[in-house]
Amino acid sequence: MKILKLVLKNFKRHKLRLFLTIGGIGITVMAFTLLRTVLYAWYAGADVAAADRVITRHAVSFIFPLPVAYKHQIANIKGVKKVTYATWFQGIYKDKNQFFPRMAIEPETFFDVYHEYKVKEKKHLQDLITKRNGCIVGVKIAKEYNLKIGDIMVVDGDIYPGTWQFEVVGFYSGEGNKKIDETWMVFNWNYLNESLKLQNSNSANHIGWYVFKIDDIKKTAEISNNVDNLFKNSFAPTKTETEQAFNQSFISMSESIIAALEFISFVIIGILTLVLANTMVMSSRERIKEYAVMKTIGFTAKNIVTLIIGESIFISLIGGIIGTLISFPIVEGIAEALSRFFPIFIIQPSTLIISVVFIIFAGIVSSIVPVMHATKMSIVDGLRHIG
Amino acid sequence: MNANSDNLIQQSQNVENVESNNTIVSIQSLSKSYWREKFEIPVLKNISFDIPKGEFLALMGPSGSGKTTLLNLIAGIDKPSDGKIFVNNVDISLMGESQLANWRTNCIGFIFQFYNLIPVLNAYENVELPLLLTKLSKKERRERVELVLNIVGLSDRMDHSPKQLSGGQQQRVAIARAIVTDPLLIVADEPTGDLDKHSAEEIMLLLQELNAELNKTIIMVTHDPRAAEKAHSIRHFDKGELS
């Protein structure tokens, strides 16, 4: 406690240098927090996947469709609870640069399998089932495009060419669960399928992938094998995996970018350490004589070490706290601006814990040289020091 | 002091050469050399003498004669190459670094030529600094600090930072810091070397008072004959030997 008092007193020394150091640390911690949040946002889909949700897609690739007739066969497999399906529709709504997921789904079952996606009112779901071109949108998208019940969304098809008109019949949200992506637009698969039938398209009566819930997550592998064995020798063999593995397969496409971001985030910690180490080395060099005086008075090497490390950690913590506090409004702003690209953009507790660990680590590492210098120095040499 | 220091005191009390109760410092065959690359530079050569309790001793001599080195050795901030130094019957040359640090807190008050106050601490806090190493409560520390600042005549400057004080006042704060732990011995390395004539006289007067009224043993290195005149005795050094 007495040493802490001295640590605090030392802050009066070079106020500008202290301010710049704390500012530098604050900015690096903020950059670290933002990068980690971007990385988390990338993995968010995989992280929020339900353990009891399993996805079946075409064995060759996600882009090859599967017959809709598989649904009942999958549903009959032991351990499968509820099956639904979806097809990636996409298209262009208003601006081709404004991306948000648009999917054709089976409305009767979709929100049972994705139970954490809450449709606002029962009537909305009913309307999605009964209205041919009805669609439900996430509240984030509804807010951004100011969509109300009855509004028509005109989408130019790309995978499925043509002009498609969807009537907004309802909204869904995560009801406060920030991990829920509230940027989807889903519509009745029948609307898509009927149109494809009219065009005599080979894609009619086909869906993109199946999603089903299982009654025992310990049997995931067994059930997945059973599903895939069922269609092994068909013209459309399947690959069944957990929702998390399915989502991970998308992330792995950007693996090198993610690895680069991970690397940069740790480079930032290195910069933080160097900024602090520079200040601590300068500061301790100027105080060599003072350390010698303190040793003459009776301060032990341990006291001096505590003083230097305490000061270093304290500066690092103050910068870190400021950087973290600044990160919150910035992350909120980014989440708002990039909600379509990063629907889940929040600072994770794990990011804060990593930050604190690295801040303390930087505080200790950056004081190694000053500590060695101050403790190895003889009192007589220190008193002769001119600095 | 810790147990090891207590043991050393006990052992050293049996040393025949240091039986006189009146001796506070006993220097026996003391030598000190420094190494500069391959060359050994002798600074003190086989010095032996005793300093009685309550003495006010001035060490004089030309630059490089070894007087400051001797002061540092007596204060326990440097180690002898050979020989022994007993301070109050304790052989300090046998002590380890942390024992010596502990011993210095309790037994030595050091006054520097350039005051060496901590610039971010005010006068009160500078004086309190050695007491932070003791087990005294905050209240006890305050009483002691106020007492010594009163002794050196700076009770009205407690909140002043060093740069708000004159050279003479800074040296008074340094003296207060040196006596606040009530040490056995005050060692002063050219305490008036950086002061004007008037301030130097004030500081010497203060040291005389500490010696006369509080019976503090003072060992002072000085180049100034007027300062040395205030001491009880003077020892001259030349080329590492007593002359």
Side-chain angles (χ1 to χ4, degrees):
Chain A
M1 200 61 198
K2 293 169 189 171
I3 296 286
L4 180 66
K5 189 180 162 188
L6 289 176
V7 168
L8 294 175
K9 288 283 176 187
N10 280 326
F11 282 3
K12 291 198 292 187
R13 242 169 246 271
H14 287 281
K15 286 175 187 161
L16 178 63
R17 186 167 72 195
L18 181 70
F19 172 78
L20 292 173
T21 306
I22 288 176
I25 293 168
I27 288 167
T28 47
V29 168
M30 185 195 71
F32 177 78
T33 308
L34 291 183
L35 263 182
R36 300 301 305 178
T37 305
V38 168
L39 283 170
Y40 176 77
W42 225 299
Y43 286 108
D47 284 352
V48 298
D52 64 346
R53 229 162 18 218
V54 178
I55 290 179
T56 297
R57 61 169 173 87
H58 196 287
V60 177
S61 167
F62 160 73
I63 61 166
F64 291 97
L66 294 172
V68 72
Y70 282 9
K71 184 193 169 185
H72 297 294
Q73 290 171 270
I74 294 171
N76 284 334
I77 289 172
K78 197 182 167 194
V80 174
K81 269 163 68 183
K82 190 127 199 169
V83 187
T84 190
Y85 52 79
T87 299
W88 189 258
F89 179 78
Q90 204 41 45
I92 298 163
Y93 177 62
K94 289 192 173 176
D95 180 357
K96 67 175 177 182
N97 295 321
Q98 302 291 305
F99 171 84
F100 61 89
R102 289 177 279 274
M103 291 177 286
I105 59 151
E106 185 187 43
E108 293 86 352
T109 52
F110 187 81
F111 287 102
D112 290 335
V113 175
Y114 285 95
H115 60 274
E116 65 273 42
Y117 290 67
K118 310 283 187 193
V119 178
K120 288 276 180 186
E121 292 173 30
K122 271 189 177 173
K123 188 182 175 301
H124 293 174
L125 193 53
Q126 202 54 44
D127 287 347
L128 183 69
I129 295 167
T130 54
K131 278 196 177 171
R132 190 172 164 270
N133 66 338
C135 73
I136 283 180
V137 292
V139 290
K140 243 184 207 174
I141 287 298
K143 190 182 168 194
E144 188 175 340
Y145 289 99
N146 194 25
L147 292 168
K148 296 181 288 299
I149 301 286
D151 283 357
I152 300 295
M153 293 176 76
V154 180
V155 177
D156 286 331
D158 42 20
I159 303 170
Y160 302 99
T163 302
W164 302 75
Q165 295 198 347
F166 300 99
E167 182 186 340
V168 178
V169 296
F171 308 105
Y172 79 86
S173 74
E175 291 187 347
N177 183 350
K178 288 191 170 182
K179 291 184 172 179
I180 298 301
D181 183 353
E182 293 172 336
T183 66
W184 291 357
M185 180 276 228
V186 293
F187 64 92
N188 195 327
W189 175 80
N190 286 324
Y191 178 39
L192 172 66
N193 196 42
E194 283 163 19
S195 304
L196 294 173
K197 276 181 185 170
L198 284 175
Q199 294 163 16
N200 287 324
S201 165
N202 290 335
S203 300
N205 292 323
H206 281 75
I207 56 93
W209 64 91
Y210 289 99
V211 188
F212 56 90
K213 296 195 87 170
I214 53 174
D215 55 11
D216 185 357
I217 57 168
K218 288 178 193 157
K219 291 181 180 166
T220 307
E222 183 189 332
I223 295 168
S224 300
N225 281 336
N226 288 344
V227 172
D228 292 341
N229 286 337
L230 195 60
F231 307 112
K232 202 174 182 179
N233 297 316
S234 70
F235 69 96
T238 59
K239 183 179 180 186
T240 304
E241 57 197 348
T242 60
E243 188 185 21
Q244 190 173 35
F246 180 74
N247 293 347
Q248 284 277 11
S249 64
F250 287 96
I251 295 164
S252 62
M253 293 174 195
S254 334
E255 214 159 358
S256 43
I257 297 173
I258 292 172
L261 287 178
E262 290 255 16
F263 177 73
I264 293 167
S265 75
F266 290 105
V267 167
I268 287 172
I269 296 299
I271 295 169
L272 183 155
T273 310
L274 289 177
V275 167
L276 186 57
N278 184 44
T279 299
M280 290 310 296
V281 167
M282 278 199 291
S283 165
S284 70
R285 188 168 292 171
E286 288 161 5
R287 271 186 261 169
I288 285 295
K289 198 168 187 176
E290 272 181 45
Y291 294 144
V293 171
M294 290 170 89
K295 280 182 169 181
T296 306
I297 287 170
F299 279 75
T300 58
K302 197 176 154 191
N303 294 140
I304 303 289
V305 168
T306 309
L307 191 65
I308 296 170
I309 293 182
E311 194 174 329
S312 181
I313 290 178
F314 217 82
I315 293 173
S316 189
L317 275 179
I318 292 174
I321 289 167
I322 291 172
T324 307
L325 289 178
I326 293 170
S327 302
F328 277 95
I330 291 175
V331 163
E332 245 172 63
I334 293 173
E336 196 74 28
L338 300 177
S339 60
R340 279 188 302 272
F341 300 103
F342 295 122
I344 301 157
F345 198 75
I346 45 174
I347 297 174
Q348 288 300 301
S350 60
T351 301
L352 298 178
I353 292 167
I354 294 172
S355 288
V356 170
V357 169
F358 278 120
I359 286 165
I360 294 172
F361 167 80
I364 294 170
V365 169
S366 56
S367 55
I368 288 175
V369 173
V371 160
M372 284 173 63
H373 205 179
T375 49
K376 283 188 175 174
M377 161 207 78
S378 79
I379 298 176
V380 174
D381 289 340
L383 290 174
R384 283 194 201 120
H385 182 85
I386 299 164
Chain B
M1 273 190 273
N2 59 30
N4 288 336
S5 304
D6 292 340
N7 286 342
L8 282 167
I9 296 166
Q10 194 63 46
Q11 288 164 18
S12 59
Q13 279 170 346
N14 297 329
V15 176
E16 282 180 22
N17 291 340
V18 194
E19 283 185 342
S20 168
N21 284 334
N22 196 36
T23 300
I24 192 157
V25 179
S26 178
I27 294 158
Q28 298 174 3
S29 310
L30 190 72
S31 296
K32 175 72 184 175
S33 300
Y34 288 110
W35 286 87
R36 293 285 178 263
E37 294 171 1
K38 290 177 186 173
F39 304 104
E40 187 180 8
I41 301 163
V43 182
L44 288 175
K45 298 169 191 168
N46 200 25
I47 304 282
S48 295
F49 70 97
D50 289 348
I51 302 169
K53 274 182 186 167
E55 174 72 299
F56 188 168
L57 170 69
L59 302 178
M60 294 192 78
S63 292
S65 61
K67 53 193 188 304
T68 296
T69 301
L70 178 64
L71 197 76
N72 291 340
L73 291 168
I74 293 170
I77 63 173
D78 204 357
K79 289 267 187 184
S81 304
D82 203 5
K84 290 183 180 299
I85 305 168
F86 292 89
V87 178
N88 204 31
N89 293 339
V90 177
D91 185 355
I92 63 167
S93 49
L94 295 177
M95 287 185 182
E97 283 302 322
S98 71
Q99 280 179 310
L100 265 177
N102 200 359
W103 175 80
R104 284 195 299 269
T105 305
N106 294 290
C107 302
I108 299 291
F110 208 110
I111 302 167
F112 303 92
Q113 180 181 356
F114 298 108
Y115 337 124
N116 286 342
L117 300 178
I118 309 294
V120 290
L121 304 180
N122 62 27
Y124 177 93
E125 291 160 340
N126 264 292
V127 177
E128 191 192 22
L129 199 58
L131 297 182
L132 296 179
L133 301 167
T134 67
K135 288 177 181 169
L136 293 178
S137 68
K138 195 175 179 183
K139 189 181 167 220
E140 288 167 324
R141 294 202 302 268
R142 172 159 281 278
E143 284 169 2
R144 284 236 200 162
V145 173
E146 285 175 353
L147 175 70
V148 292
L149 279 172
N150 196 35
I151 290 172
V152 299
L154 286 175
S155 50
D156 57 336
R157 300 290 169 100
M158 285 188 203
D159 299 328
H160 289 225
S161 68
K163 66 180 176 190
Q164 292 170 324
L165 300 170
S166 68
Q169 287 169 330
Q170 287 189 57
Q171 194 60 299
R172 282 166 182 270
V173 174
I175 291 170
R177 180 178 67 184
I179 62 173
V180 74
T181 54
D182 192 21
L184 285 172
L185 203 58
I186 295 171
V187 292
D189 188 5
E190 300 192 47
T192 58
D194 195 45
L195 298 175
D196 60 73
K197 189 181 166 190
H198 176 69
S199 300
E201 276 174 10
E202 283 183 351
I203 292 301
M204 287 316 301
L205 201 62
L206 182 58
L207 290 177
Q208 276 185 306
E209 282 172 11
L210 292 174
N211 175 248
E213 292 171 24
L214 301 177
N215 199 32
K216 292 289 169 199
T217 307
I218 300 174
I219 306 169
M220 174 181 73
V221 165
T222 186
H223 280 113
D224 181 0
R226 281 173 302 192
E229 273 174 18
K230 304 285 194 285
H232 297 164
S233 58
I234 302 172
R235 283 189 180 268
H236 290 274
F237 279 77
D238 192 22
K239 294 176 182 168
E241 293 173 332
L242 281 168
S243 58

